[in-house]
């Protein structure tokens, strides 16, 4: 029975990875079947956050896959592992933050500090959240994180909460959207239940509110939140808030709230740079067990510039198209998936033609470009060749590197970034590039 059950579960996992790549995660491989009895397939799960992720995000797809692979109308149940170190003690508020007055939010297992990619645009916000998770109410209180959508605010807030819970599983954490707070307050007023509302919110160890700008123009809610804030702050409890702009720019927010939101630390998350976007794509692919070539990672990072959610969406689209096709992820497939047709220049340019043009322009030899010398008189033409090869041919980064002494893809990426920056900031480099491109693409 065990071998049969394992085979069924392996087929379910394959079905999920093939047909539901949007929620597939690498840690699914660590899950295991317990038994299949009375029409119920029981799956062991290591912790509450993963249990809630499976229940709320994946259950219907897992059930459908289980029914298809077994041929029976089975249901699926997710049970916590029996390993003592993985069992979270029972407490009033487990990792699923239950609030009878409003919606129930759970922590995503993806949103941990280990899975957060740190770069110049978010380094301060990450560092402060780590510090807060280790010293609630002491390091930075309140902590106010702001930035545009999809840049990682929710990720950092949930990571802070989950890390704090690992240090003390009995913490009473209230984590919710500002809309939930406002709706709970309005319902409490209508039902004459303000005492329970205030007790619920003012007896927490940690209050974490997402999208606090939702308080704008809600005078009674602002009044209530002001007193809730004061009660928690004076008791030394941690407060973390997020918004799409700093406190002073939230419209129609009372001055006393602006002052209190700003009295701790206000930190901003900006759009990720190219290198950070590459690291994000690489991390997301690793989390989902996707083997992604470096040239595809580079392409997605260049194609999508706005935020992390769009990067993840692009990755999902590329992987989904690969599953419908041969299963192999290539640069051409990525270009098709993201709406960019494979480049077919009017004049097909080869790497050899690029090398001839560049060596003529800079009076260097092919052996110099393929050699190990790194002085600028050689390195610059070599980088120029790599940049033009990436833009004017369909070769992968590895193939381009092979033409220049067997250099690896990271060297090619560095060369492309260097020339791209020079092109934007140096008129002479821009003119040389334009002349070379015109020469190479001339019929």
């Amino acid at each position: 029975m065990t071998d049969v059950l394992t085979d069924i579960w392996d087929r379910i996992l394959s079905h999920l990875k093939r047909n539901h790549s949007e929620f597939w995660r690498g840690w699914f491989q660590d899950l295991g079947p317990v038994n299949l009895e009375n029409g119920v397939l029981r799956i062991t799960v290591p912790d509450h956050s993963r249990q809630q992720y499976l229940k709320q995000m994946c259950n219907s797809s897992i059930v459908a896959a289980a029914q298809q692979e077994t041929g029976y109308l089975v249901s699926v149940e997710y049970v916590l592992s029996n390993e003592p170190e993985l069992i979270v003690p029972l407490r009033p508020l487990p990792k699923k933050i239950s609030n009878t007055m409003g919606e129930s939010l759970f922590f995503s297992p993806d949103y941990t500090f280990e899975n957060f990619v740190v770069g110049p645009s978010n380094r301060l916000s990450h560092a402060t959240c780590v510090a807060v998770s280790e010293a609630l109410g002491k390091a930075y209180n309140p902590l106010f994180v702001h930035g545009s959508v999809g840049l990682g605010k929710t990720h950092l807030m949930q990571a802070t909460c989950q890390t704090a819970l690992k240090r003390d599983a009995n913490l009473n954490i209230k984590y919710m959207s500002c809309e939930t707070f406002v709706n709970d307050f309005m319902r409490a007023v209508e039902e004459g239940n303000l005492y329970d509302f205030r007790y619920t919110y003012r007896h927490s160890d940690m209050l974490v509110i997402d999208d606090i700008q939702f308080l704008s123009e809600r005078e009674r809610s602002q009044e209530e939140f002001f007193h809730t804030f004061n009660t928690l702050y004076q008791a030394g409890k941690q407060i973390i808030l997020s918004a799409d702009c700093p406190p002073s720019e939230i419209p129609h927010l009372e001055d006393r709230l602006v002052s209190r939101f700003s009295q701790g630390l206000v930190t901003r998350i900006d759009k990720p740079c190219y290198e950070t976007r590459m690291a994000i794509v690489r991390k997301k692919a690793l989390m989902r067990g996707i083997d992604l070539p470096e040239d595809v990672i580079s392409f997605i990072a260049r194609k999508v510039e706005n935020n992390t959610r769009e990067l993840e969406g692009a990755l999902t689209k590329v992987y989904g198209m690969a599953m419908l096709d041969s299963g192999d992820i290539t640069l051409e497939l990525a270009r098709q998936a993201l709406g960019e047709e494979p480049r077919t220049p009017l004049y097909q340019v080869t790497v050899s033609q690029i090398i001839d043009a560049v060596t003529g322009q800079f009076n260097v030899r092919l052996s110099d470009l393929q050699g190990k010398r790194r002085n600028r008189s050689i390195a610059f033409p070599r980088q120029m060749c790599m940049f033009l090869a990436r833009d004017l041919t369909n070769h992968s980064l590895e193939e381009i590197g092979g033409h220049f002494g067997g250099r690896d893809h990271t060297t090619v990426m560095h060369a492309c970034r260097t020339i791209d920056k020079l092109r934007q900031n140096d008129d002479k480099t821009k003119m040389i590039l334009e002349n070379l491109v015109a020469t190479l693409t001339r019929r």
Side-chain angles (χ1 to χ4, degrees):
M1 177 62 181
T2 302
D3 291 341
V4 174
L5 190 59
T6 301
D7 179 64
I8 290 173
W9 179 242
D10 288 342
R11 285 190 279 118
I12 291 173
L13 288 180
S14 297
H15 178 97
L16 291 171
K17 190 170 186 179
R18 185 172 59 253
N19 298 292
H20 301 283
S21 60
E22 67 277 7
F23 64 69
W24 170 269
R25 296 295 180 267
W27 52 263
F28 281 18
Q29 303 285 0
D30 299 328
L31 306 177
V34 179
N35 55 44
L36 177 55
E37 294 179 354
N38 301 321
V40 179
L41 173 62
R42 291 178 176 83
I43 306 299
T44 182
V45 186
D47 55 53
H48 279 285
S49 60
R50 286 169 171 78
Q51 184 185 50
Q52 295 306 317
Y53 179 86
L54 293 170
K55 284 182 179 179
Q56 299 201 25
M57 304 297 293
C58 317
N59 190 61
S60 60
S61 298
I62 293 177
V63 169
Q67 292 178 354
Q68 179 171 326
E69 297 302 330
T70 61
Y72 298 102
L73 292 175
V74 299
S75 61
V76 180
E77 182 179 322
Y78 313 99
V79 295
L80 290 176
S81 169
N82 290 325
E83 295 180 34
E85 67 270 18
L86 293 178
I87 295 178
V88 179
L90 293 177
R91 55 191 175 84
L93 293 170
K95 286 191 176 181
K96 176 180 177 181
I97 303 302
S98 297
N99 185 341
T100 56
M101 304 189 70
E103 66 181 1
S104 179
L105 299 181
F106 72 96
F107 295 136
S108 169
D110 293 348
Y111 289 166
T112 64
F113 287 131
E114 292 77 13
N115 290 335
F116 189 82
V117 176
V118 182
S121 59
N122 57 32
R123 195 179 307 279
L124 177 60
S125 298
H126 172 265
T128 54
C129 284
V130 171
V132 165
S133 70
E134 296 174 349
L136 298 182
K138 298 176 182 178
Y140 304 101
N141 198 26
L143 174 62
F144 193 104
V145 183
H146 69 93
S148 187
V149 297
L151 297 183
K153 301 188 299 296
T154 300
H155 188 146
L156 283 178
M157 293 169 76
Q158 290 201 22
T160 305
C161 294
Q162 295 196 72
T163 302
L165 278 172
K166 287 181 181 178
R167 299 172 66 89
D168 182 358
N170 293 309
L171 281 174
N172 183 353
I173 296 181
K174 292 289 183 297
Y175 167 64
M176 66 200 63
S177 66
C178 185
E179 183 179 9
T180 297
F181 177 89
V182 171
N183 291 339
D184 284 352
F185 173 63
M186 293 171 61
R187 189 178 302 111
V189 171
E190 292 172 359
E191 298 174 356
N193 199 20
L194 279 174
Y195 175 82
D196 287 348
F197 171 86
R198 288 167 179 165
Y199 186 90
T200 297
Y201 281 94
R202 298 182 190 183
H203 286 77
S204 57
D205 299 313
M206 191 173 177
L207 179 64
V208 185
I209 304 286
D210 215 345
D211 294 323
I212 197 66
Q213 73 271 6
F214 194 77
L215 279 179
S216 176
E217 297 185 353
R218 291 169 172 81
E219 294 182 5
R220 292 193 64 184
S221 296
Q222 290 189 35
E223 173 77 21
E224 186 62 32
F225 191 81
F226 172 78
H227 294 297
T228 298
F229 182 101
N230 282 347
T231 300
L232 293 173
Y233 182 78
Q234 290 166 9
K237 306 301 182 181
Q238 182 66 50
I239 302 168
I240 305 177
L241 308 171
S242 81
D244 55 10
C245 60
S248 59
E249 295 180 15
I250 297 177
H252 309 292
L253 186 66
E254 294 180 3
D255 289 342
R256 57 181 179 174
L257 282 176
V258 173
S259 174
R260 278 159 178 76
F261 292 174
S262 304
Q263 72 188 41
L265 178 67
V266 177
T267 177
R268 183 180 71 187
I269 300 179
D270 293 315
K271 289 183 179 180
C273 63
Y274 172 70
E275 289 82 359
T276 304
R277 295 198 303 274
M278 282 194 64
I280 290 171
V281 175
R282 193 177 291 112
K283 174 72 76 172
K284 296 291 185 182
L286 180 64
M287 287 167 53
R288 296 169 62 170
I290 301 174
D291 185 14
L292 211 60
E294 281 295 321
D295 54 355
V296 175
I297 293 174
S298 175
F299 171 72
I300 294 175
R302 284 190 287 112
K303 181 76 174 178
V304 181
E305 299 182 355
N306 290 331
N307 60 58
T308 302
R309 288 177 192 163
E310 291 185 13
L311 285 171
E312 188 164 13
L315 174 61
T316 298
K317 195 169 183 180
V318 169
Y319 182 71
M321 181 169 285
M323 289 300 97
L324 292 173
D325 196 11
S326 62
D328 296 327
I329 299 178
T330 64
L331 181 58
E332 277 20 335
L333 182 140
R335 285 174 173 154
Q336 265 190 324
L338 301 184
E340 180 177 315
E341 294 298 324
R343 288 172 297 188
T344 53
L346 292 176
Y347 180 80
Q348 189 64 45
V349 179
T350 66
V351 175
S352 296
Q353 290 170 328
I354 292 173
I355 291 174
D356 289 343
V358 173
T359 52
Q361 173 73 36
F362 293 96
N363 194 27
V364 295
R365 297 172 299 177
L366 172 60
S367 58
D368 293 328
L369 299 182
Q370 294 177 332
K372 296 183 178 180
R373 292 174 59 190
R374 296 183 178 179
N375 50 303
R376 179 170 171 76
S377 62
I378 301 300
F380 182 71
R382 183 189 296 134
Q383 291 172 334
M384 188 75 75
C385 283
M386 292 178 179
F387 179 88
L388 290 168
R390 188 201 68 184
D391 266 22
L392 299 180
T393 76
N394 290 324
H395 289 301
S396 68
L397 299 178
E398 288 82 359
E399 290 170 336
I400 293 171
H403 282 84
F404 298 93
R407 287 171 165 82
D408 61 24
H409 65 271
T410 58
T411 302
V412 179
M413 286 191 297
H414 174 72
C416 294
R417 289 196 296 267
T418 300
I419 298 300
D420 194 39
K421 288 180 181 178
L422 284 172
R423 177 182 62 174
Q424 296 176 36
N425 301 313
D426 182 62
D427 290 338
K428 183 178 179 181
T429 300
K430 182 180 178 181
M431 184 179 67
I432 292 173
L433 267 176
E434 290 176 349
N435 290 337
L436 286 169
V437 170
T439 298
L440 289 164
T441 57
R442 188 180 300 125
R443 288 184 176 227

